[in-house]
């Protein structure tokens, strides 16, 4: 707003939408989350900007916020017998068909193919569509409930998708990829391995030290015996003779030669 004073001072507010999940900074218009734990999908928020002049002019716009739950345990995989590039191009229509037949809000998390790395996308005839479904309160619908509804509506879904792809369509439920370990769990495992390794190294050090000590003690005794035997075989200047007097320190005459 190019006006000056109160006529140019804008305040922002959420006039429609899920205000329990989101809030807005009234001075800057920045939208931030309040609580979206366990929720997913696209939230549509209506934002109003109002100046503070006498006439109080306002303007509104819709902001769409998508919450990605790619790590959710309620992800369901729908396998379509279509090329991945065609599925990607028609993802919006696939979402519409699923929402109509399931009666819930559907969010497409990912579109991929197991053959993507080995074959060109245009040659892949089977595509996996990872979806997560949420109710009107934006709470995740359990995966088993989604699968049950997909089975019930399988025929109707295939008929509608045939209109989208202009070809015969087979829709089957696939297996969701195993969830990756959380960083906390990975850190705990790594720490456990490091502690175990440290303990083993310490134990080995202690055992090796004891072994060396025993070895030294055993061989030290042998060396001492050898030294005593050697000492007994030479003239000891401090030895005493039979009558108790000290032996002479002089070497015998035959030793001088």
């Amino acid at each position: 707003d190019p006006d000056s004073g109160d006529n140019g001072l804008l305040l922002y507010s959420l006039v429609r939408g899920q205000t329990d999940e989101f809030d807005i900074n009234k001075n800057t218009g920045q939208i931030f989350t309040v609580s979206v734990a366990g929720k997913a999908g696209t939230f549509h928020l209506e934002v109003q900007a109002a100046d503070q002049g006498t006439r109080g002019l306002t303007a509104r716009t819709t902001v769409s916020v998508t919450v990605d739950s790619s790590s959710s345990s309620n992800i369901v995989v729908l396998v379509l017998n279509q090329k991945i590039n065609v599925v990607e191009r028609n993802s919006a229509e696939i979402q519409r068909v699923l929402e109509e037949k399931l009666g819930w809000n559907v969010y497409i998390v990912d579109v991929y193919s197991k053959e993507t790395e080995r074959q060109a996308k245009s040659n892949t005839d089977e595509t996996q569509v990872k979806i997560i479904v949420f109710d009107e309160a934006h709470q995740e619908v359990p995966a088993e409930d989604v699968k049950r509804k997909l089975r019930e509506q399988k025929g109707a879904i295939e008929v509608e998708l045939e209109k989208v792809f202009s070809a015969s369509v087979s829709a089957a439920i696939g297996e969701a990829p195993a969830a990756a370990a959380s960083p906390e769990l990975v850190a705990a495992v790594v720490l456990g391995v490091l502690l175990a390794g440290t303990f083993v190294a310490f134990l080995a050090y202690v055992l090796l030290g004891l072994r060396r000590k025993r070895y030294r003690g055993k061989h030290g005794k042998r060396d001492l015996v050898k030294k005593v035997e050697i000492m007994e075989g030479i003239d000891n200047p401090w030895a005493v003779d039979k009558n108790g007097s000290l032996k002479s320190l002089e070497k015998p005459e035959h030793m001088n030669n």
Side-chain angles (χ1 to χ4, degrees):
D1 192 332
D3 293 340
S4 60
D6 291 341
N7 289 335
L9 177 61
L10 298 180
L11 295 181
Y12 300 89
S13 61
L14 295 177
V15 295
R16 184 176 63 83
Q18 293 73 29
T19 54
D20 291 339
E21 287 79 17
F22 300 90
D23 204 347
I24 190 169
N25 185 310
K26 66 177 182 179
N27 295 312
T28 65
Q30 181 182 21
I31 298 172
F32 55 91
T33 59
V34 176
S35 177
V36 292
K39 301 180 180 180
T42 302
F43 299 78
H44 302 287
L45 311 176
E46 188 170 351
V47 180
Q48 175 178 281
D51 68 19
Q52 303 305 297
T54 304
R55 298 176 57 187
L57 300 178
T58 63
R60 295 184 179 185
T61 190
T62 300
V63 177
S64 297
V65 181
T66 299
V67 179
D68 186 350
S69 291
S70 57
S71 61
S72 172
S73 61
N74 290 316
I75 288 178
V76 175
V77 176
L78 186 64
V79 182
L80 303 177
N81 63 335
Q82 301 294 318
K83 294 179 175 60
I84 187 172
N85 57 338
V86 178
V87 173
E88 289 175 335
R89 190 166 58 246
N90 292 280
S91 59
E93 285 298 301
I94 295 173
Q95 178 178 329
R96 177 188 61 79
V97 170
L98 293 176
E99 288 182 338
E100 288 180 357
K101 300 307 175 183
L102 298 180
W104 290 313
N105 297 313
V106 175
Y107 174 58
I108 296 180
V109 177
D110 191 19
V111 177
Y112 67 100
S113 172
K114 294 180 180 179
E115 304 294 331
T116 301
E117 296 181 358
R118 289 181 291 174
Q119 299 179 5
K121 287 186 175 182
S122 58
N123 293 330
T124 305
D125 294 326
E126 186 176 275
T127 302
Q128 282 75 29
V129 181
K130 291 169 61 176
I131 65 173
I132 185 169
V133 178
F134 45 95
D135 57 24
E136 294 180 355
H138 290 277
Q139 299 294 327
E140 293 182 6
V141 178
E144 290 306 315
D145 292 345
V146 177
K147 292 178 180 179
R148 174 181 53 79
K149 200 67 172 291
L150 284 171
R151 294 187 187 100
E152 294 174 355
Q153 298 295 322
K154 184 177 185 298
I157 291 173
E158 289 177 344
V159 169
E160 291 301 317
L161 289 179
E162 287 176 2
K163 298 176 183 179
V164 173
F165 294 107
S166 298
S168 177
V169 176
S170 172
I173 298 174
E175 292 296 327
S182 66
E184 293 81 3
L185 178 59
V186 173
V189 172
V190 172
L191 181 58
V193 172
L194 291 177
L195 289 176
T198 302
F199 176 76
V200 171
F202 175 74
L203 185 60
Y205 174 78
V206 171
L207 293 176
L208 183 60
L210 291 174
R211 185 176 180 181
R212 288 179 176 176
K213 187 175 181 180
R214 291 176 181 175
Y215 179 83
R216 290 174 180 174
K218 182 177 181 181
H219 288 269
K221 291 180 180 179
R222 293 179 180 177
D223 294 342
L224 181 60
V225 172
K226 291 181 179 179
K227 288 180 180 178
V228 172
E229 292 175 350
I230 294 173
M231 292 297 293
E232 289 178 349
I234 64 174
D235 289 334
N236 187 347
W238 298 104
V240 295
D241 57 14
K242 293 181 180 179
N243 59 11
S245 61
L246 291 175
K247 289 183 177 181
S248 172
L249 295 179
E250 294 180 357
K251 294 181 180 180
E253 291 182 359
H254 67 275
M255 292 295 293
N256 291 332
N257 298 329

